[in-house]
């Protein structure tokens, strides 16, 4: 768009200057490494804004250089001129500039747009996050969870953290995929798409969406499409039950069931069914593929929920205060071995004075051990770490997981590892349990050894008297 009242050459010069200033803005915004997640999001958003500005100015420059009206060429000819015309054009422009500033003496020089953005950029104005989302670190799907458990045919006996495992895999094969279900999917898709844009502004999202679109078109057009959450085995199992989803009919025997596929009624129902379900299957596929970009946020959200459930009100309040202090201070160590040598938490001896540094290193008090079961609590030094397994915090975390805090779980700090070990121990206990029918032995009439179950069966049949 050519600005009225401003020469084309001046507009081109201004565009080149803006591009250079925006490039400097990108460099300045990335000079320092982000100290926390919030600063990382702000940095990415700034770079994204500057990149959009550079693209905008570049497109404008292309339009000006193409010069469809020939205005640029005419202005260039005026400047070049010949003989005394060169000076006359120059002094005419100088006179116009002086006259303009004489009329408007109080005009101040505008700050470059890049500098203004760096000094006044507010993340909340560009990409607002809710408190639950934590600046894009967690997902906030409570609204969609409430919609989900009220859908027809859905197993609503689940908790929110379980919903986070299935909201994009669609394992419930008995769901009634009606208008309410489609509205639920549409809202979920819009939220996930907006969340990706806000939390990953530098991601080439259009390229990812185009790949999803191409994959969908190829599979749908070649009749190789399989619903999300379904496999060929699932379709085969449904066919064995002699039930047709398309006709919504249960057949009495397999022969009639197989022959009805060639009937006109089934073919007509299949065409209507596919057209009706296409939009729903399309949304399910897009949500499933888009969720692949959010696996880290899904995992972090689940861990956050588990930690919340295992902590008291006072502990949650203390965590919130600690997070706010971290955002204000934004101090983070880059060393592999974190050593906190402050007056507050440096260990002291029996006399109240700080212990020698060599003793600090000898006992490994600079080594951090993290326990996820305790709510990601850090323990400094091997001795404190081993001791905490018998303390109330770890016992409370195990109780929240429904596990007994026994010696079998010593050195286990991950929630997943603890649950897997409990499952394995349960199987071992079942194997070692006394089974009366299988383990109690009886002597047959010929002296052979028989189990109780076999002996009783033979006796009932009259083989053994």
């Amino acid at each position: 768009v050519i600005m009225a009242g401003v020469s084309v050459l001046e507009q081109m010069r201004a565009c080149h200057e803006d591009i250079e200033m925006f490039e400097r803005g990108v460099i300045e915004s990335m000079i320092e490494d982000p100290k926390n997640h919030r600063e990382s999001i702000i940095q990415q958003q700034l770079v994204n804004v500057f990149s959009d500005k550079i693209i905008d100015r570049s497109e404008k420059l292309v339009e000006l250089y193409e010069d469809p009206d020939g205005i640029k060429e005419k202005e260039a000819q005026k400047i070049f001129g010949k003989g005394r015309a060169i000076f006359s054009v120059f002094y005419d422009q100088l006179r116009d500039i002086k006259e303009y500033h004489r009329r408007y003496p109080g005009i101040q020089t505008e700050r470059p747009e890049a500098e203004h953005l760096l000094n006044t950029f507010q993340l909340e104005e560009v990409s607002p996050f809710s408190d639950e989302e934590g600046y894009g670190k967690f997902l906030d799907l409570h609204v969609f969870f409430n919609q989900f458990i009220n859908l027809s045919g859905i197993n609503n006996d689940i908790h929110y953290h379980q919903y986070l495992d299935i909201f994009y895999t669609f394992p419930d094969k008995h769901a009634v995929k009606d208008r309410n279900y489609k509205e639920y999917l549409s809202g979920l898709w819009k939220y996930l798409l907006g969340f990706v844009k806000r939390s990953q502004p530098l991601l080439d999202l259009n390229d990812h969406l185009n790949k999803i679109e191409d994959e969908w078109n190829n599979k749908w057009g070649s009749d190789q499409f399989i619903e999300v959450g379904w496999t060929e085995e699932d379709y085969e199992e449904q066919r064995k039950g002699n039930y047709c989803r398309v006709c919504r009919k249960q057949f009495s025997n397999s022969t009639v069931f197989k022959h009805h596929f060639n009937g006109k009624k089934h073919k007509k129902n299949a065409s209507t069914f596919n057209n009706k379900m296409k939009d729903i299957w399309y949304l399910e596929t897009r949500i499933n593929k888009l969720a692949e970009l959010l696996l880290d946020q899904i995992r972090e959200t689940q861990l956050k929920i588990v930690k919340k459930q295992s902590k008291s009100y006072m502990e949650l309040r203390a965590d919130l205060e600690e997070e706010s202090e971290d955002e204000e201070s934004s101090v983070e160590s880059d060393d592999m071995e974190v050593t906190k040598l402050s007056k507050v938490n440096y260990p002291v001896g029996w006399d109240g004075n700080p212990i020698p540094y060599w003793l600090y290193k000898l006992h490994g008090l600079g080594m951090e051990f993290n326990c996820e079961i305790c709510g990601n609590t850090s323990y400094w030094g091997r001795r404190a770490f081993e001791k905490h397994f018998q303390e109330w915090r770890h016992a409370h975390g195990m109780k929240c997981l429904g596990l007994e805090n026994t010696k079998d779980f010593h050195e286990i700090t991950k929630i997943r590892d603890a649950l897997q070990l409990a499952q394995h121990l349960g199987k071992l206990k079942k194997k070692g349990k006394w089974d009366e029918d299988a383990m109690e032995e009886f002597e047959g009439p010929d002296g052979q050894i028989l189990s109780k179950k076999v002996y009783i069966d033979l006796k009932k049949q009259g083989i053994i008297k």
Side-chain angles (χ1 to χ4, degrees), residues 245-292:
R245 291 177 68 199
V246 174
C247 300
R248 293 184 180 181
K249 187 176 180 181
Q250 182 76 42
F251 291 87
S252 58
N253 58 70
S254 57
T255 305
V256 178
F257 175 68
K258 290 179 181 177
H259 282 89
H260 101 282
F261 286 109
N262 298 323
K264 293 181 179 179
K265 187 176 181 181
H266 175 81
K267 292 179 180 179
K268 182 180 178 181
N269 290 339
S271 177
T272 306
F273 182 78
N274 289 336
N275 292 332
K276 179 181 176 183
M277 298 298 293
K278 181 178 179 180
D279 293 340
I280 293 177
W281 289 337
Y282 179 53
L283 282 170
E284 288 180 343
T285 303
R286 298 179 84 188
I287 290 172
N288 178 261
K289 295 296 182 182
L290 191 64
E292 294 176 0

Side-chain angles (χ1 to χ4, degrees), residues 209-228 274 277-286 289:
L209 295 177
N210 290 334
K211 289 180 180 178
I212 296 175
E213 189 77 21
D214 293 340
E215 185 178 351
W216 161 266
N217 291 331
N218 291 334
K219 288 186 177 181
W220 183 262
S222 59
D223 295 329
Q224 295 177 352
F225 174 74
I226 297 177
E227 294 177 60
V228 178
N274 289 336
M277 298 298 293
K278 181 178 179 180
D279 293 340
I280 293 177
W281 289 337
Y282 179 53
L283 282 170
E284 288 180 343
T285 303
R286 298 179 84 188
K289 295 296 182 182

Side-chain angles (χ1 to χ4, degrees), residues 180-231:
N180 293 332
Y181 185 79
K182 185 178 179 181
E183 290 177 357
Y184 157 75
L185 291 179
S186 299
L188 180 60
W189 165 254
K190 290 178 182 177
Y191 171 79
L192 294 176
L193 188 64
F195 185 85
V196 171
K197 290 179 180 178
R198 288 180 289 133
S199 61
Q200 303 179 42
L202 297 181
L203 175 71
D204 189 357
L205 186 58
N206 290 330
D207 181 61
H208 190 77
L209 295 177
N210 290 334
K211 289 180 180 178
I212 296 175
E213 189 77 21
D214 293 340
E215 185 178 351
W216 161 266
N217 291 331
N218 291 334
K219 288 186 177 181
W220 183 262
S222 59
D223 295 329
Q224 295 177 352
F225 174 74
I226 297 177
E227 294 177 60
V228 178
W230 286 68
T231 61

Side-chain angles (χ1 to χ4, degrees), residues 128-140 191 195 198:
F129 290 99
S130 66
D131 294 337
E132 193 73 23
E133 290 173 335
Y135 296 106
K137 194 174 182 180
F138 311 106
L139 288 168
D140 184 8
Y191 171 79
F195 185 85
R198 288 180 289 133

Side-chain angles (χ1 to χ4, degrees), residues 301-344:
T301 307
Q302 290 175 319
L303 291 176
K304 179 184 176 183
I305 294 168
V306 173
K307 283 196 292 182
K308 273 189 174 182
Q309 293 174 344
S310 63
K311 288 186 177 183
S312 65
Y313 170 76
M314 296 302 294
E315 289 173 328
L316 290 172
R317 187 174 179 180
D319 287 345
L320 289 174
E321 292 176 356
E322 185 178 350
E323 287 178 6
S324 62
E325 289 176 0
D326 290 342
E327 288 179 7
E328 291 175 2
S329 60
S330 300
V331 176
E332 195 173 278
S333 174
D334 294 331
D335 299 333
M336 291 297 291
E337 181 185 32
V338 182
T339 56
K340 297 184 177 180
L341 303 178
S342 65
K343 293 181 180 180
V344 178

Side-chain angles (χ1 to χ4, degrees), residues 8 94 144 148 156 174 184 192 232-233 243 275 294 297 302 310 324 335 365 378 437 451 457:
V8 174
L94 180 61
F144 304 104
F148 177 79
N156 55 13
H174 300 289
Y184 157 75
L192 294 176
E232 287 290 351
E233 290 76 13
Y243 177 76
N275 292 332
L294 300 171
Q297 284 87 343
Q302 290 175 319
S310 63
S324 62
D335 299 333
L365 298 178
S378 296
D437 290 338
S451 66
D457 289 342

